[in-house]
Amino acid sequence: MSKPLQFKLSEEEISRIVEMAWEDRTPFEAIQIQFGLNESQTIELMRANMKSSSFKMWRERVTGRKTKHLKLRGFASTKAYAPGHYKIR
């Protein structure tokens, strides 16, 4: 059995990671860029910070979900931009 990872994150950071992991369109790569946790570390953090039933429900949702992995997405993730939105008056 592997030794659990030690997370040196604030409660606020852990809360944000859990929120990002629950979001369908936030890929694991975004969590890695922002917090330095890869997918398996994120899963371990989720397991350690959620009730067992909530963790199981989350794992069922994200397993195989294309939007959680940038390489599996079939679309470009860009923000919408309306040219007339930023007109100077």
Side-chain angles (χ1 to χ4, degrees), residues 38-69:
N38 63 29
E39 181 179 352
S40 62
Q41 292 169 323
T42 300
I43 292 168
E44 186 175 332
L45 181 134
M46 296 291 279
R47 181 180 283 120
N49 289 281
M50 298 175 75
K51 294 188 302 184
S52 178
S53 60
S54 297
F55 174 77
K56 287 177 185 176
M57 181 177 18
W58 174 75
R59 283 299 290 151
E60 286 177 12
R61 280 185 60 237
V62 300
T63 300
R65 185 173 291 267
K66 291 180 180 182
T67 57
K68 293 305 281 185
H69 300 277

Side-chain angles (χ1 to χ4, degrees), residues 9-85:
L9 300 166
S10 69
E11 296 232 357
E12 184 177 300
E13 290 171 318
I14 291 171
S15 177
R16 180 62 184 136
I17 293 167
V18 169
E19 181 181 354
M20 290 174 74
W22 266 102
E23 293 170 350
D24 289 339
R25 294 202 176 264
T26 303
F28 288 114
E29 292 86 353
I31 296 170
Q32 185 165 12
I33 289 167
Q34 191 168 353
F35 296 99
L37 300 178
N38 63 29
E39 181 179 352
S40 62
Q41 292 169 323
T42 300
I43 292 168
E44 186 175 332
L45 181 134
M46 296 291 279
R47 181 180 283 120
N49 289 281
M50 298 175 75
K51 294 188 302 184
S52 178
S53 60
S54 297
F55 174 77
K56 287 177 185 176
M57 181 177 18
W58 174 75
R59 283 299 290 151
E60 286 177 12
R61 280 185 60 237
V62 300
T63 300
R65 185 173 291 267
K66 291 180 180 182
T67 57
K68 293 305 281 185
H69 300 277
L70 288 177
K71 290 181 181 179
L72 299 178
R73 286 181 171 199
F75 59 90
S77 64
T78 58
K79 288 190 172 188
Y81 173 74
H85 187 82

